[in-house]
Short mmCIF file of all heavy atoms in Angstrom, two decimals:
data_model
loop_
_atom_site.label_atom_id
_atom_site.label_comp_id
_atom_site.label_asym_id
_atom_site.label_seq_id
_atom_site.Cartn_x
_atom_site.Cartn_y
_atom_site.Cartn_z
N GLY A 40 3.54 31.68 -8.73
CA GLY A 40 2.52 31.04 -9.56
C GLY A 40 2.54 29.54 -9.43
O GLY A 40 1.49 28.88 -9.35
N SER A 41 3.74 28.95 -9.38
CA SER A 41 3.88 27.50 -9.23
C SER A 41 3.34 27.05 -7.89
O SER A 41 2.66 26.02 -7.78
CB SER A 41 5.35 27.10 -9.35
OG SER A 41 5.90 27.54 -10.57
N GLY A 42 3.64 27.84 -6.83
CA GLY A 42 3.17 27.49 -5.50
C GLY A 42 1.65 27.55 -5.38
O GLY A 42 1.03 26.67 -4.77
N VAL A 43 1.05 28.58 -5.97
CA VAL A 43 -0.41 28.71 -5.92
C VAL A 43 -1.08 27.54 -6.65
O VAL A 43 -2.04 26.94 -6.16
CB VAL A 43 -0.86 30.05 -6.54
CG1 VAL A 43 -2.37 30.08 -6.74
CG2 VAL A 43 -0.42 31.21 -5.65
N SER A 44 -0.56 27.18 -7.83
CA SER A 44 -1.12 26.04 -8.57
C SER A 44 -0.98 24.75 -7.78
O SER A 44 -1.90 23.92 -7.73
CB SER A 44 -0.42 25.89 -9.93
OG SER A 44 -0.88 26.86 -10.84
N ALA A 45 0.19 24.56 -7.16
CA ALA A 45 0.42 23.35 -6.37
C ALA A 45 -0.53 23.29 -5.16
O ALA A 45 -1.08 22.24 -4.82
CB ALA A 45 1.87 23.29 -5.91
N LEU A 46 -0.73 24.45 -4.51
CA LEU A 46 -1.62 24.50 -3.35
C LEU A 46 -3.06 24.20 -3.75
O LEU A 46 -3.76 23.41 -3.09
CB LEU A 46 -1.53 25.88 -2.70
CG LEU A 46 -2.46 26.13 -1.50
CD1 LEU A 46 -2.15 25.16 -0.37
CD2 LEU A 46 -2.35 27.57 -1.02
N LEU A 47 -3.52 24.80 -4.84
CA LEU A 47 -4.89 24.55 -5.31
C LEU A 47 -5.08 23.08 -5.70
O LEU A 47 -6.14 22.50 -5.46
CB LEU A 47 -5.21 25.46 -6.50
CG LEU A 47 -5.34 26.96 -6.19
CD1 LEU A 47 -5.57 27.75 -7.47
CD2 LEU A 47 -6.47 27.20 -5.20
N PHE A 48 -4.04 22.50 -6.30
CA PHE A 48 -4.12 21.08 -6.68
C PHE A 48 -4.27 20.20 -5.44
O PHE A 48 -5.08 19.27 -5.42
CB PHE A 48 -2.86 20.69 -7.46
CG PHE A 48 -2.82 19.24 -7.82
CD1 PHE A 48 -3.59 18.73 -8.86
CD2 PHE A 48 -2.00 18.36 -7.12
CE1 PHE A 48 -3.54 17.38 -9.21
CE2 PHE A 48 -1.95 17.01 -7.45
CZ PHE A 48 -2.73 16.52 -8.48
N CYS A 49 -3.49 20.51 -4.39
CA CYS A 49 -3.58 19.73 -3.15
C CYS A 49 -4.96 19.86 -2.52
O CYS A 49 -5.54 18.88 -2.04
CB CYS A 49 -2.50 20.18 -2.17
SG CYS A 49 -0.83 19.69 -2.64
N LEU A 50 -5.50 21.08 -2.51
CA LEU A 50 -6.84 21.29 -1.96
C LEU A 50 -7.87 20.50 -2.76
O LEU A 50 -8.82 19.93 -2.21
CB LEU A 50 -7.19 22.77 -1.98
CG LEU A 50 -6.37 23.69 -1.05
CD1 LEU A 50 -6.75 25.15 -1.27
CD2 LEU A 50 -6.57 23.29 0.41
N LEU A 51 -7.66 20.44 -4.06
CA LEU A 51 -8.61 19.78 -4.95
C LEU A 51 -8.64 18.27 -4.74
O LEU A 51 -9.69 17.64 -4.89
CB LEU A 51 -8.27 20.11 -6.40
CG LEU A 51 -9.30 19.79 -7.48
CD1 LEU A 51 -10.61 20.52 -7.21
CD2 LEU A 51 -8.76 20.17 -8.85
N ILE A 52 -7.50 17.70 -4.40
CA ILE A 52 -7.49 16.22 -4.28
C ILE A 52 -7.58 15.74 -2.83
O ILE A 52 -7.93 14.58 -2.59
CB ILE A 52 -6.23 15.62 -4.94
CG1 ILE A 52 -4.97 16.07 -4.21
CG2 ILE A 52 -6.17 15.94 -6.41
CD1 ILE A 52 -3.71 15.37 -4.71
N PHE A 53 -7.28 16.61 -1.85
CA PHE A 53 -7.28 16.15 -0.46
C PHE A 53 -8.50 16.59 0.34
O PHE A 53 -8.83 15.98 1.35
CB PHE A 53 -6.01 16.64 0.25
CG PHE A 53 -4.78 15.88 -0.14
CD1 PHE A 53 -3.79 16.49 -0.89
CD2 PHE A 53 -4.61 14.55 0.21
CE1 PHE A 53 -2.66 15.79 -1.28
CE2 PHE A 53 -3.48 13.85 -0.16
CZ PHE A 53 -2.49 14.46 -0.91
N LEU A 54 -9.16 17.68 -0.07
CA LEU A 54 -10.35 18.13 0.66
C LEU A 54 -11.59 17.42 0.13
O LEU A 54 -11.96 17.59 -1.04
CB LEU A 54 -10.54 19.64 0.53
CG LEU A 54 -9.60 20.54 1.36
CD1 LEU A 54 -9.97 22.00 1.16
CD2 LEU A 54 -9.66 20.17 2.83
N PRO A 55 -12.23 16.59 0.95
CA PRO A 55 -13.41 15.84 0.47
C PRO A 55 -14.51 16.73 -0.09
O PRO A 55 -15.24 16.34 -0.99
CB PRO A 55 -13.86 15.10 1.73
CG PRO A 55 -12.65 15.03 2.60
CD PRO A 55 -11.90 16.30 2.34
N VAL A 56 -14.63 17.95 0.45
CA VAL A 56 -15.71 18.84 0.03
C VAL A 56 -15.61 19.20 -1.45
O VAL A 56 -16.61 19.32 -2.15
CB VAL A 56 -15.71 20.13 0.88
CG1 VAL A 56 -16.80 21.08 0.41
CG2 VAL A 56 -15.87 19.79 2.35
N ILE A 57 -14.37 19.38 -1.94
CA ILE A 57 -14.19 19.80 -3.33
C ILE A 57 -13.53 18.75 -4.20
O ILE A 57 -13.44 18.93 -5.42
CB ILE A 57 -13.38 21.11 -3.41
CG1 ILE A 57 -11.98 20.91 -2.81
CG2 ILE A 57 -14.10 22.25 -2.74
CD1 ILE A 57 -11.08 22.14 -2.97
N SER A 58 -13.07 17.64 -3.61
CA SER A 58 -12.37 16.62 -4.40
C SER A 58 -13.28 15.99 -5.45
O SER A 58 -12.82 15.51 -6.48
CB SER A 58 -11.80 15.54 -3.49
OG SER A 58 -12.83 14.89 -2.75
N ARG A 59 -14.58 15.99 -5.19
CA ARG A 59 -15.51 15.40 -6.16
C ARG A 59 -15.61 16.23 -7.43
O ARG A 59 -16.15 15.78 -8.44
CB ARG A 59 -16.90 15.24 -5.53
CG ARG A 59 -17.47 16.54 -4.99
CD ARG A 59 -18.81 16.28 -4.29
NE ARG A 59 -19.26 17.47 -3.57
CZ ARG A 59 -20.41 17.51 -2.92
NH1 ARG A 59 -21.21 16.44 -2.88
NH2 ARG A 59 -20.76 18.61 -2.28
N TYR A 60 -15.11 17.49 -7.36
CA TYR A 60 -15.13 18.34 -8.55
C TYR A 60 -13.82 18.26 -9.34
O TYR A 60 -13.57 19.08 -10.21
CB TYR A 60 -15.37 19.80 -8.14
CG TYR A 60 -16.69 20.01 -7.45
CD1 TYR A 60 -16.74 20.29 -6.09
CD2 TYR A 60 -17.89 19.90 -8.16
CE1 TYR A 60 -17.94 20.48 -5.43
CE2 TYR A 60 -19.10 20.09 -7.50
CZ TYR A 60 -19.13 20.37 -6.15
OH TYR A 60 -20.33 20.54 -5.51
N TYR A 61 -12.99 17.29 -9.00
CA TYR A 61 -11.70 17.13 -9.69
C TYR A 61 -11.95 16.59 -11.10
O TYR A 61 -12.32 15.45 -11.28
CB TYR A 61 -10.80 16.20 -8.91
CG TYR A 61 -9.44 15.98 -9.55
CD1 TYR A 61 -8.64 17.06 -9.91
CD2 TYR A 61 -8.97 14.70 -9.79
CE1 TYR A 61 -7.40 16.87 -10.49
CE2 TYR A 61 -7.72 14.50 -10.37
CZ TYR A 61 -6.95 15.59 -10.72
OH TYR A 61 -5.73 15.40 -11.30
N ASN A 62 -11.79 17.44 -12.11
CA ASN A 62 -11.98 17.03 -13.50
C ASN A 62 -11.12 17.93 -14.40
O ASN A 62 -10.28 18.69 -13.90
CB ASN A 62 -13.46 17.12 -13.90
CG ASN A 62 -14.07 18.49 -13.59
OD1 ASN A 62 -13.41 19.53 -13.79
ND2 ASN A 62 -15.29 18.50 -13.10
N PHE A 63 -11.33 17.83 -15.69
CA PHE A 63 -10.52 18.61 -16.64
C PHE A 63 -10.65 20.11 -16.40
O PHE A 63 -9.65 20.84 -16.40
CB PHE A 63 -10.93 18.27 -18.07
CG PHE A 63 -10.31 19.17 -19.10
CD1 PHE A 63 -8.99 18.98 -19.51
CD2 PHE A 63 -11.02 20.25 -19.63
CE1 PHE A 63 -8.41 19.83 -20.44
CE2 PHE A 63 -10.45 21.09 -20.56
CZ PHE A 63 -9.13 20.88 -20.97
N PHE A 64 -11.88 20.57 -16.16
CA PHE A 64 -12.11 22.02 -16.04
C PHE A 64 -11.50 22.57 -14.75
O PHE A 64 -10.93 23.66 -14.74
CB PHE A 64 -13.61 22.31 -16.10
CG PHE A 64 -14.22 21.98 -17.42
CD1 PHE A 64 -15.00 20.84 -17.58
CD2 PHE A 64 -14.00 22.79 -18.53
CE1 PHE A 64 -15.56 20.52 -18.81
CE2 PHE A 64 -14.55 22.49 -19.77
CZ PHE A 64 -15.33 21.35 -19.91
N SER A 65 -11.63 21.82 -13.66
CA SER A 65 -11.02 22.29 -12.41
C SER A 65 -9.49 22.28 -12.51
O SER A 65 -8.82 23.17 -11.99
CB SER A 65 -11.47 21.42 -11.24
OG SER A 65 -11.12 20.06 -11.44
N SER A 66 -8.94 21.28 -13.22
CA SER A 66 -7.50 21.23 -13.43
C SER A 66 -7.04 22.41 -14.28
O SER A 66 -5.96 22.97 -14.05
CB SER A 66 -7.10 19.92 -14.11
OG SER A 66 -7.43 18.82 -13.31
N LEU A 67 -7.87 22.79 -15.26
CA LEU A 67 -7.53 23.93 -16.11
C LEU A 67 -7.51 25.23 -15.30
O LEU A 67 -6.63 26.08 -15.49
CB LEU A 67 -8.55 24.03 -17.25
CG LEU A 67 -8.31 25.16 -18.27
CD1 LEU A 67 -6.97 24.99 -18.96
CD2 LEU A 67 -9.44 25.18 -19.31
N ILE A 68 -8.46 25.36 -14.38
CA ILE A 68 -8.50 26.55 -13.52
C ILE A 68 -7.26 26.62 -12.65
O ILE A 68 -6.67 27.69 -12.44
CB ILE A 68 -9.78 26.53 -12.66
CG1 ILE A 68 -11.02 26.73 -13.54
CG2 ILE A 68 -9.72 27.61 -11.59
CD1 ILE A 68 -12.33 26.55 -12.80
N VAL A 69 -6.82 25.46 -12.15
CA VAL A 69 -5.60 25.40 -11.34
C VAL A 69 -4.40 25.88 -12.14
O VAL A 69 -3.58 26.68 -11.67
CB VAL A 69 -5.37 23.97 -10.82
CG1 VAL A 69 -3.97 23.84 -10.22
CG2 VAL A 69 -6.42 23.60 -9.79
N LEU A 70 -4.30 25.40 -13.38
CA LEU A 70 -3.18 25.79 -14.23
C LEU A 70 -3.26 27.28 -14.59
O LEU A 70 -2.25 27.99 -14.53
CB LEU A 70 -3.18 24.96 -15.52
CG LEU A 70 -2.09 25.29 -16.53
CD1 LEU A 70 -0.71 24.96 -15.96
CD2 LEU A 70 -2.32 24.53 -17.84
N LEU A 71 -4.44 27.76 -14.94
CA LEU A 71 -4.61 29.16 -15.32
C LEU A 71 -4.26 30.11 -14.18
O LEU A 71 -3.70 31.18 -14.40
CB LEU A 71 -6.04 29.42 -15.79
CG LEU A 71 -6.42 28.90 -17.17
CD1 LEU A 71 -7.91 29.09 -17.43
CD2 LEU A 71 -5.61 29.62 -18.25
N SER A 72 -4.59 29.71 -12.96
CA SER A 72 -4.26 30.56 -11.81
C SER A 72 -2.76 30.77 -11.71
O SER A 72 -2.28 31.88 -11.44
CB SER A 72 -4.80 29.94 -10.53
OG SER A 72 -4.16 28.71 -10.25
N GLY A 73 -1.99 29.70 -11.94
CA GLY A 73 -0.54 29.82 -11.90
C GLY A 73 0.00 30.65 -13.05
O GLY A 73 0.92 31.45 -12.87
N ILE A 74 -0.57 30.47 -14.23
CA ILE A 74 -0.13 31.22 -15.42
C ILE A 74 -0.36 32.72 -15.22
O ILE A 74 0.50 33.54 -15.54
CB ILE A 74 -0.86 30.71 -16.68
CG1 ILE A 74 -0.37 29.32 -17.06
CG2 ILE A 74 -0.67 31.68 -17.85
CD1 ILE A 74 -1.13 28.69 -18.21
N LEU A 75 -1.53 33.07 -14.71
CA LEU A 75 -1.87 34.49 -14.52
C LEU A 75 -0.90 35.16 -13.55
O LEU A 75 -0.49 36.30 -13.75
CB LEU A 75 -3.31 34.62 -14.02
CG LEU A 75 -4.40 34.26 -15.03
CD1 LEU A 75 -5.77 34.27 -14.35
CD2 LEU A 75 -4.39 35.22 -16.20
N ILE A 76 -0.53 34.44 -12.49
CA ILE A 76 0.40 35.01 -11.52
C ILE A 76 1.82 35.07 -12.09
O ILE A 76 2.53 36.07 -11.93
CB ILE A 76 0.39 34.18 -10.22
CG1 ILE A 76 -0.98 34.30 -9.55
CG2 ILE A 76 1.49 34.65 -9.27
CD1 ILE A 76 -1.17 33.37 -8.37
N ALA A 77 2.23 34.01 -12.78
CA ALA A 77 3.60 33.92 -13.27
C ALA A 77 3.86 34.85 -14.46
O ALA A 77 4.91 35.48 -14.55
CB ALA A 77 3.93 32.48 -13.67
N PHE A 78 2.89 34.94 -15.38
CA PHE A 78 3.12 35.68 -16.63
C PHE A 78 2.23 36.91 -16.81
O PHE A 78 2.63 37.86 -17.48
CB PHE A 78 2.88 34.75 -17.83
CG PHE A 78 3.82 33.60 -17.92
CD1 PHE A 78 3.46 32.35 -17.43
CD2 PHE A 78 5.08 33.74 -18.48
CE1 PHE A 78 4.33 31.27 -17.51
CE2 PHE A 78 5.96 32.68 -18.56
CZ PHE A 78 5.58 31.43 -18.07
N GLY A 79 1.01 36.88 -16.24
CA GLY A 79 0.05 37.90 -16.63
C GLY A 79 -0.32 37.65 -18.08
O GLY A 79 0.08 36.65 -18.67
N PHE A 80 -1.08 38.54 -18.71
CA PHE A 80 -1.38 38.37 -20.12
C PHE A 80 -1.89 39.68 -20.71
O PHE A 80 -2.48 40.50 -20.00
CB PHE A 80 -2.39 37.24 -20.35
CG PHE A 80 -3.80 37.55 -19.89
CD1 PHE A 80 -4.78 37.91 -20.81
CD2 PHE A 80 -4.13 37.49 -18.56
CE1 PHE A 80 -6.07 38.19 -20.40
CE2 PHE A 80 -5.42 37.77 -18.13
CZ PHE A 80 -6.39 38.12 -19.06
N LYS A 81 -1.63 39.85 -22.02
CA LYS A 81 -2.06 41.07 -22.71
C LYS A 81 -3.51 40.98 -23.15
O LYS A 81 -4.26 41.95 -23.06
CB LYS A 81 -1.15 41.32 -23.92
CG LYS A 81 0.30 41.60 -23.57
CD LYS A 81 1.11 41.92 -24.82
CE LYS A 81 1.19 40.71 -25.75
NZ LYS A 81 2.08 40.96 -26.91
N ASP A 82 -3.88 39.84 -23.69
CA ASP A 82 -5.23 39.63 -24.18
C ASP A 82 -5.54 38.15 -24.16
O ASP A 82 -4.71 37.33 -23.72
CB ASP A 82 -5.38 40.20 -25.60
CG ASP A 82 -4.26 39.76 -26.53
OD1 ASP A 82 -3.82 38.58 -26.42
OD2 ASP A 82 -3.79 40.57 -27.35
N LEU A 83 -6.73 37.76 -24.62
CA LEU A 83 -7.13 36.36 -24.59
C LEU A 83 -6.25 35.49 -25.50
O LEU A 83 -5.98 34.33 -25.18
CB LEU A 83 -8.60 36.23 -25.00
CG LEU A 83 -9.62 36.77 -23.99
CD1 LEU A 83 -11.05 36.63 -24.54
CD2 LEU A 83 -9.49 36.05 -22.65
N LYS A 84 -5.79 36.08 -26.61
CA LYS A 84 -4.91 35.34 -27.51
C LYS A 84 -3.61 34.99 -26.79
O LYS A 84 -3.10 33.86 -26.89
CB LYS A 84 -4.62 36.17 -28.76
CG LYS A 84 -3.68 35.49 -29.74
CD LYS A 84 -3.38 36.39 -30.94
CE LYS A 84 -2.37 35.75 -31.88
NZ LYS A 84 -2.03 36.64 -33.01
N ASP A 85 -3.07 35.96 -26.06
CA ASP A 85 -1.83 35.74 -25.32
C ASP A 85 -2.04 34.69 -24.24
O ASP A 85 -1.21 33.80 -24.04
CB ASP A 85 -1.37 37.05 -24.71
CG ASP A 85 0.00 36.95 -24.05
OD1 ASP A 85 0.91 36.37 -24.69
OD2 ASP A 85 0.17 37.44 -22.94
N LEU A 86 -3.16 34.76 -23.52
CA LEU A 86 -3.47 33.79 -22.48
C LEU A 86 -3.64 32.39 -23.08
O LEU A 86 -3.17 31.40 -22.51
CB LEU A 86 -4.74 34.20 -21.74
CG LEU A 86 -5.20 33.27 -20.61
CD1 LEU A 86 -4.13 33.16 -19.53
CD2 LEU A 86 -6.52 33.76 -20.01
N GLY A 87 -4.31 32.32 -24.24
CA GLY A 87 -4.50 31.03 -24.90
C GLY A 87 -3.17 30.42 -25.31
O GLY A 87 -2.95 29.21 -25.15
N LYS A 88 -2.26 31.26 -25.83
CA LYS A 88 -0.95 30.76 -26.24
C LYS A 88 -0.17 30.23 -25.04
O LYS A 88 0.45 29.16 -25.11
CB LYS A 88 -0.18 31.87 -26.94
CG LYS A 88 1.18 31.44 -27.48
CD LYS A 88 1.80 32.51 -28.37
CE LYS A 88 2.24 33.69 -27.56
NZ LYS A 88 3.02 34.67 -28.37
N LEU A 89 -0.21 30.97 -23.94
CA LEU A 89 0.48 30.53 -22.73
C LEU A 89 -0.08 29.21 -22.22
O LEU A 89 0.67 28.31 -21.81
CB LEU A 89 0.35 31.61 -21.64
CG LEU A 89 1.20 32.86 -21.82
CD1 LEU A 89 0.73 33.96 -20.86
CD2 LEU A 89 2.67 32.57 -21.60
N THR A 90 -1.41 29.08 -22.27
CA THR A 90 -2.06 27.85 -21.79
C THR A 90 -1.68 26.66 -22.64
O THR A 90 -1.35 25.58 -22.13
CB THR A 90 -3.59 28.02 -21.78
OG1 THR A 90 -3.94 29.17 -21.00
CG2 THR A 90 -4.27 26.79 -21.21
N VAL A 91 -1.70 26.84 -23.96
CA VAL A 91 -1.36 25.74 -24.88
C VAL A 91 0.08 25.28 -24.66
O VAL A 91 0.36 24.09 -24.53
CB VAL A 91 -1.56 26.19 -26.35
CG1 VAL A 91 -0.94 25.16 -27.30
CG2 VAL A 91 -3.04 26.35 -26.66
#
Side-chain angles (χ1 to χ4, degrees):
S41 304
V43 169
S44 283
L46 178 61
L47 292 177
F48 177 76
C49 289
L50 294 175
L51 193 59
I52 64 173
F53 285 111
L54 285 183
V56 178
I57 61 175
S58 60
R59 56 184 170 178
Y60 299 109
Y61 180 53
N62 52 40
F63 171 79
F64 295 104
S65 59
S66 298
L67 182 61
I68 292 173
V69 169
L70 178 65
L71 285 174
S72 65
I74 289 175
L75 291 173
I76 294 172
F78 297 97
F80 71 102
K81 295 183 296 185
D82 48 38
L83 290 178
K84 179 183 177 182
D85 187 46
L86 180 60
K88 183 170 70 172
L89 286 167
T90 304
V91 168

